[in-house]
Amino acid sequence: MSSLSSSLFSFKGQCVESFSVVEDSQSVLVRCRRDRRFKVREPIAGASCTV
């Protein structure tokens, strides 16, 4: 599943654990966890921060 999810989604610093289609709302539910190999960055300035 990792190669499929990597080609569909690009969540930097996240590991996609699973995804599923929610028929009722016509959406996709993506479950992620933090990838600790990457440092957390503040999105605008890019400075290091903590979670």
Side-chain angles (χ1 to χ4, degrees):
M1 177 173 70
S2 62
S3 63
L4 176 61
S5 61
S6 296
S7 63
L8 292 175
F9 308 109
S10 177
F11 300 120
K12 189 173 182 178
Q14 298 291 315
C15 291
V16 176
E17 292 189 327
S18 67
F19 58 93
S20 58
V21 176
V22 182
E23 299 278 338
D24 299 342
S25 61
Q26 297 181 343
S27 60
V28 176
L29 175 63
V30 180
R31 295 190 188 274
C32 300
R33 67 174 169 78
R34 183 171 161 236
D35 187 345
R36 295 189 180 271
R37 295 177 294 175
F38 297 94
K39 292 184 177 184
V40 177
R41 299 275 179 192
E42 193 271 320
I44 296 173
S48 294
C49 59
T50 59
V51 176

